[in-house]
Amino acid sequence: MRGGFEDQAAGLRRLLSKAPPQVVAVLACGSGALRWTAGQVMTRAQAGRQVLLFDEAEACGNLGDVMGVSPRFDLGQVVEGEVSLEHAQVQALPGCSLYSAARLARGLGRADRLYAARFRETCRRLQAGSDLWVIHARPDEAMRLSSFALAAQRLIVAVDGTPRSVTEAYTLIKRLEGGPWAQLDLALAGCRRPDEGEALLDNLMRVAQQQTVLALRRIHGLEASAAAAAVSAGGGERFLDRVLGLAQRASRAPLALGT
């Protein structure tokens, strides 16, 4: 009898491992928001989630620094055939792997058919056994988000409660109007002065809702966005199709946020 239960459990694990991962992108405004993002990912992994973390920040202000790890290779190098997927992986902690994705973000902007095919195959391998992908999104110099981040099912704008971070968040929210999300998730993240931060965040939400058509939803943790992503997840191929479709569109007519 015990063997039967073990077989059922193993079968359930195999079934779950084939489910498409939920994909959430995070725009971290302020150093506190960056630490919050790392802490949220660690909490999910410690709770039993299998999390893949993709960091589009190439140098200063990246998640590797916060988590005390340093990837040697970028996922873009895997897609380009320079290194193996295993060489690009860094185990940040049990249940959480970190991949540098700055080069990948740039590469998708000029992807040809071969690059697209290799990207799709790489992501299929990554999807096996993972149930949550978190993309630390980093706009480029022209304020464009990568197609990788734009394809995420949910976007969190994380604000650390400083006036500078709130101003940055408002600018990004304005420029996201007309993008792929009708609703954005907003989090007060790593705030040193909670009362002041709450007041600034309330004002940000009020002004943003007056000045844009975007709906803003206040959240207190990554899990709320992951749950919403699960509802709209679709198949794993659907996410890859969105990434490559957005990349192809951007290569024809590059679109900066807010244009």
Side-chain angles (χ1 to χ4, degrees), residues 58-81:
E58 194 159 25
C60 59
N62 63 46
L63 283 167
D65 291 341
V66 175
M67 302 176 81
V69 294
S70 181
R72 289 184 59 198
F73 301 105
D74 191 281
L75 204 55
Q77 293 172 275
V78 178
V79 175
E80 293 163 19

Side-chain angles (χ1 to χ4, degrees), residues 20-211:
Q22 299 146 22
V23 185
V24 178
V26 181
L27 279 167
C29 302
S31 58
L34 191 65
R35 291 191 296 271
W36 177 88
T37 302
Q40 287 291 309
V41 169
M42 290 178 181
T43 300
R44 303 285 84 72
Q46 290 165 353
R49 288 275 213 158
Q50 296 299 312
V51 185
L52 299 188
L53 182 55
F54 303 91
D55 193 353
E56 292 187 347
E58 194 159 25
C60 59
N62 63 46
L63 283 167
D65 291 341
V66 175
M67 302 176 81
V69 294
S70 181
R72 289 184 59 198
F73 301 105
D74 191 281
L75 204 55
Q77 293 172 275
V78 178
V79 175
E80 293 163 19
E82 294 182 8
V83 299
S84 69
L85 183 58
E86 291 71 25
H87 280 97
Q89 179 188 29
V90 172
Q91 196 75 24
L93 71 159
C96 176
S97 294
L98 173 68
Y99 293 90
S100 177
R103 182 165 167 174
L104 174 70
R106 294 192 301 271
L108 285 167
R110 53 180 183 275
D112 57 16
R113 288 186 179 181
L114 179 59
Y115 192 99
R118 288 177 172 172
F119 167 77
R120 190 182 290 274
E121 179 57 31
T122 299
C123 286
R124 284 172 179 160
R125 292 176 61 194
L126 288 167
Q127 286 175 346
S130 63
D131 54 29
L132 176 62
W133 287 15
V134 178
I135 302 168
H136 175 216
R138 178 62 65 91
D140 64 15
E141 293 179 356
M143 293 303 292
R144 291 187 296 259
L145 287 183
S146 73
S147 60
F148 194 46
L150 285 169
Q153 293 132 6
R154 300 293 298 187
L155 175 71
I156 300 173
V157 180
V159 182
D160 72 3
T162 60
R164 181 176 180 178
S165 72
V166 171
T167 300
E168 180 185 357
Y170 177 69
T171 301
L172 289 168
I173 290 169
K174 284 278 289 181
R175 288 172 172 167
L176 284 165
E177 191 171 20
W181 303 285
Q183 183 186 65
L184 305 179
D185 291 339
L186 194 61
L188 184 63
C191 183
R192 294 183 178 180
R193 298 180 178 177
D195 291 343
E196 180 182 331
E198 288 286 354
L200 287 169
L201 192 67
D202 287 345
N203 186 61
L204 169 63
M205 291 190 70
R206 182 171 59 255
V207 173
Q209 288 174 335
Q210 290 172 348
Q211 299 297 322

